[in-house]
Each structure stands twice: as C-alpha cells, then as structure tokens.
Amino acid sequence: MKQRMSMLVAAALIAGGAAHADETCNSPYLAKLIKGQEDYVHVWTLGVQGMGDGRDKLVTIDANPKSKTYGKVVSKVSVAGKPRGEAHHMGFTDDRRFLWAGGLEDSRIHVFEVGSNPAKPRLVKTITDFASKGGYVGPHTFYALPGRMLIAGLSNTKDKGGVTGLATYNNAGQLIAKHDMPTSDVGGAKGDGYGYDIAINPGKNAMLTSSFTGYKNYMRPLGELIKDANAMKNFGNTMVLWDLKAMKPQQVFAVPGAPLEIRWSLKEGDNWAITAAALTSKLWLVKPGADGKYAAKEVGTIGDPAKIPLPVDISIAADGKGLWVNTFMDGMTRYFDLTNPEAPKETYSKQTGKQVNMISQSWDGKRVYVTSSLLDKWDKGGADNEQFLRAFAWDGKELKQAFEGDFAKEGLGRAHHMKFSAKSSGKSMAQVAREQLAMK
C-alpha cells in the first residue's frame, strides 16, 4: 500500500509537471513552472460600453508559433452580473489550477478554472466580500502562498483613500486573515499605509510591499487628477519590509513617487529587489547593507523625468541581469542591463505603442508581450487609445513583432494584465498512475 501511494504521488507529479508556463515575475510558491514555450496568453480585459458585450472578460490568445491558431483569440469568458468593475490584475493559485482576477472599482474577485483546459478557461466563482469583510477596496496584487492567496488592496471602505492592507484567503475563497499596512513608526520610519504590489524572498523570510494611491484618485480622469495639487499629494512614498512568517512589518523605506511593481532577483545567491517609481521615473534597489539591514536607494533614471514618461510595469530576466521597463505616456519599452544592480544601464529602447502598460517575458527571455491599457479613465483618447496585446521576439539586440491582437477591432475591450499557460499532457493524474502501476 505504501509503495502504491508513493507511485501515485510520483505519477501525479509527472502528470502535473507540464501544465503551465509563466513569466519570471510570479510567486515563488507556484507549482509546475515551465521554462519552455508557452501555448496561451490570458489577458484580463476591461469592458468598454458599446464595444462587444461591454463586459470585463478573460481573453485567451494562442501563443504557440506551431499552432494553426497562432496569434488568434481562442476563448473569451465574460463576467456575470455587473458588466464592468475596472478589471486590473490577476494571479494563479499555488497549484496553478485557478486564476483569480480582480476589479478595482467593484472589489469583486472572479475565479477562473484554467488547469483542466487552459485554452478554454471557465468562470467558477465570484468572491464578493473583499470590501465588506476585509474593509479594503481595490484588490490589486494576487500572490500565491501554499494553499492560500495573499491580496494587496489599494484603498479602504471608510474614506476611499490610500490607506489599505493585505487580505489572506484560502484557495476555497474564504477570508482567513487581514493585515493593515503600517501607518505608525516602524524601524525608525513612519509608514503611510498605502499598498500596491507584493514580492517574497522565501529563503530570507522577507516580503516587500509597495504603494500607489486610493480609489478617489485612481477612479478620476488622469487629466483632471494631475491638475489637483491636493490630490497629487495622496500617492504612496514608501515600501515596507515584512517578516513573512509573522506577517509583521519590520522596516519602512522612503521611496518617493509611488513605487509600483517589485521584482526580486531570481539568480541563486542574490538577495536584492528592484522597483520603479511612477511619478519620479526612478529605479530603486532594496538590499542588505554591510550590517545586514535592508535599505532602499535610488540607482537609476527611466527616460526624461521632466517629461513624466510614467513607468508602469517592469519584468526581470530569469538570471537577474536584465530588466524591461514600460512607460505609459511615451509608449516606450526599455531594457536595462542589471549586471551591476547598483548602476542599471539602459541599453535598448523601442516605442511599442502609443500607450503601453504591462510587460511579460518568457523564462528564456526570447519572447516579450506588451499590453496597452492602464486604467479606464487614465487611458489616452482618440487615435492614441490603442488597445492591444503585442508579442515580440527578442534576440538580445532587437524586438521584432511576432503578432498583434487588436482588442478594439475585435470588440474585446482594454487589454491589461497577462498570464501564461501551456497545454497539459492530455492525461489525467489517475491515467498516468494506472499506466505506471501497469508497468510494474
């Protein structure tokens, strides 16, 4: 019996070991990492009234060059109930069976089953208590923990400002814990209570969070917002280092200008993370000093800060030696050499759209994907309001476009966050287990 159980477990691992591929910027707790060719790109898409069905939806595009439907939409699954909730970010559960996708306006979380057939995701659940039970608004980052999902909010139910926190759900969708962002003195610096991204270095028991702005700001038209001097004061200027196991803040770092996405280096032996501040166009490095205590320092500049390029997303290379940066206002995609993370050097740039937001790369760095939409009321207007997913091949010297999905032309909406999937072996765990036993 014991031998049989061991074989079943081994067979399950074999069957599940090739289920999904992914970019380099996800939770370290995700299972089934594939470092080869991704088959599909899932795009969490904001609905646009009068465009198609007008609903937020999960769009799946074939990304395998060997496929007959390469570059084509193979599935689109719209949300039920309220048609639009400001679709924004999403994340896999640790077993990669489900994608959790959130709305910044309605705080609803839509759960899509993707494990059984990633070409045809299914909407299986909608979680509606993020605001009512957690007290937070705008579920932004979905970060897998073993058997759980850690979610960073952007706002709160009391005043819709930027003070917020982290909510922990189990994989069944039940809220089990909440942790407010610090607003008091922590390690000699005061927290501002703002939230945005999450990044974990398990080996160091270290979790970093960053900071953006609250509902009252991100739901306003961008042109109107930037003219409001008081509102512009209500952006985050901190990052927080947490004791992961205890879920307690240990240090607060002053990082002015809304530090957004955080990326730990994935290279073995490295112990540093990098982020980009949106409003100041600066790169910041977080790493321990000679005394072993973490510190944050400005290490680079993105474009011309005077022109406010607005860096919105970053993607780190698997070897920790390179960083892609997308800037929304000028539509530029830039590559920085991180061989020395203390002094990043821009070595390549290309305008990949009239407005660009998210950027994801394959594990081997040979494929780069870019989407266009930032927020419903922050996207550009007229001819500049391109809505797309563009795929590029990267040979280390030049980005060459491989295909484009025109989300406006196809009546899909505003293309935002991406996740990758790959086909399963086509055999269930039980099938593989039976085959393994039959050979004995």
Side-chain angles (χ1 to χ4, degrees):
M1 183 64 158
K2 185 176 181 181
Q3 181 183 16
R4 180 181 176 86
M5 287 302 296
S6 296
M7 291 178 65
L8 286 171
V9 171
L13 291 173
I14 294 170
H20 296 280
D22 211 350
E23 71 272 39
T24 60
C25 304
N26 277 317
S27 167
Y29 299 106
L30 291 183
K32 309 169 188 175
L33 180 66
I34 287 185
K35 300 177 182 180
Q37 173 68 51
E38 60 280 358
D39 288 303
Y40 306 104
V41 180
H42 305 294
V43 185
W44 187 217
T45 305
L46 291 74
V48 177
Q49 187 172 6
M51 183 181 291
D53 66 5
R55 292 181 173 274
D56 293 345
K57 56 182 61 68
L58 184 67
V59 176
T60 300
I61 294 178
D62 190 325
N64 192 324
K66 296 181 180 179
S67 172
K68 293 180 180 179
T69 53
Y70 177 57
K72 306 296 183 183
V73 174
V74 295
S75 172
K76 49 184 179 180
V77 184
S78 297
V79 302
K82 184 180 177 182
R84 292 177 297 281
E86 193 68 44
H88 205 68
H89 280 206
M90 58 183 173
F92 284 112
T93 49
D94 62 324
D95 57 10
R96 291 183 174 274
R97 292 180 57 208
F98 300 94
L99 266 177
W100 290 34
L104 296 187
E105 180 182 11
D106 62 10
S107 294
R108 290 157 67 90
I109 300 166
H110 305 280
V111 180
F112 297 89
E113 192 275 321
V114 295
S116 60
N117 183 1
K120 301 291 181 183
R122 297 180 301 117
L123 178 61
V124 295
K125 182 193 292 285
T126 299
I127 299 168
T128 60
D129 63 3
F130 184 78
S132 61
K133 288 187 177 180
Y136 305 136
V137 168
H140 182 269
T141 298
F142 295 83
Y143 206 88
L145 299 175
R148 295 162 290 159
M149 183 69 77
L150 184 61
I151 306 172
L154 292 185
S155 191
N156 66 80
T157 57
K158 293 181 179 179
D159 65 4
K160 299 290 182 73
V163 175
T164 187
L166 304 168
T168 304
Y169 283 76
N170 60 27
N171 282 358
Q174 300 168 321
L175 179 67
I176 56 176
K178 53 175 291 188
H179 309 275
D180 292 340
M181 293 292 181
T183 55
S184 58
D185 184 279
V186 178
K190 186 178 180 181
D192 56 21
Y194 285 48
Y196 184 81
D197 200 18
I198 302 167
I200 290 173
N201 183 342
K204 300 299 181 181
N205 189 37
M207 179 174 76
L208 289 169
T209 56
S210 55
S211 56
F212 181 44
T213 195
Y215 182 100
K216 290 189 292 187
N217 272 3
Y218 66 70
M219 290 302 298
R220 291 179 69 179
L222 182 60
E224 173 188 301
L225 174 63
I226 61 178
K227 295 176 183 177
D228 187 334
N230 287 327
M232 290 301 293
K233 295 177 183 178
N234 297 320
F235 280 82
N237 293 293
T238 64
M239 294 178 68
V240 180
L241 175 70
W242 300 67
D243 179 316
L244 174 62
K245 293 179 181 178
M247 286 299 290
K248 291 183 178 180
Q250 299 295 300
Q251 291 179 253
V252 171
F253 310 121
V255 183
L260 299 182
E261 314 296 338
I262 311 165
R263 306 293 181 236
W264 286 99
S265 172
L266 303 177
K267 181 181 178 182
E268 187 175 356
D270 280 355
N271 184 21
W272 55 264
I274 195 163
T275 189
L279 302 183
T280 59
S281 298
K282 299 294 184 180
L283 290 172
W284 284 75
L285 184 71
V286 179
K287 65 177 295 187
D291 59 358
K293 188 175 182 180
Y294 284 90
K297 69 174 183 176
E298 179 188 317
V299 292
T301 300
I302 304 162
D304 181 357
K307 296 179 180 179
I308 314 177
L310 199 63
V312 283
D313 195 25
I314 58 177
S315 179
I316 195 166
D319 60 7
K321 294 181 179 180
L323 186 77
W324 289 105
V325 181
N326 266 3
T327 48
F328 180 78
M329 297 303 293
D330 57 9
M332 297 296 293
T333 296
R334 296 176 169 86
Y335 187 82
F336 286 81
D337 184 335
L338 290 183
T339 303
N340 177 7
E342 304 272 356
K345 295 180 180 179
E346 182 182 323
T347 57
Y348 177 82
S349 65
K350 181 185 182 75
Q351 186 174 38
T352 53
K354 294 179 180 178
Q355 60 180 12
V356 297
N357 188 21
M358 305 304 294
I359 183 164
S360 296
Q361 64 181 303
S362 57
W363 186 268
D364 60 14
K366 294 180 180 180
R367 295 170 301 284
V368 176
Y369 299 84
V370 173
T371 55
S372 52
S373 181
L374 179 52
L375 290 160
D376 178 35
K377 295 181 180 179
W378 288 27
D379 285 354
K380 297 179 182 180
D384 288 343
N385 187 25
E386 296 180 320
Q387 295 300 335
F388 60 79
L389 164 73
R390 288 179 179 151
F392 297 87
W394 172 246
D395 61 4
K397 297 179 180 179
E398 177 67 28
L399 283 175
K400 296 180 180 179
Q401 187 168 315
F403 70 79
E404 174 178 351
D406 189 329
F407 276 50
K409 184 178 181 180
E410 297 194 41
L412 299 171
R414 302 175 185 270
H416 190 75
H417 202 204
M418 298 167 280
K419 291 293 178 184
F420 300 166
S421 288
K423 295 176 182 177
S424 66
S425 65
K427 297 179 180 180
S428 70
M429 294 181 185
Q431 285 176 309
V432 175
R434 287 194 294 269
E435 291 174 4
Q436 292 289 326
L437 288 170
M439 290 188 291
K440 292 293 183 181

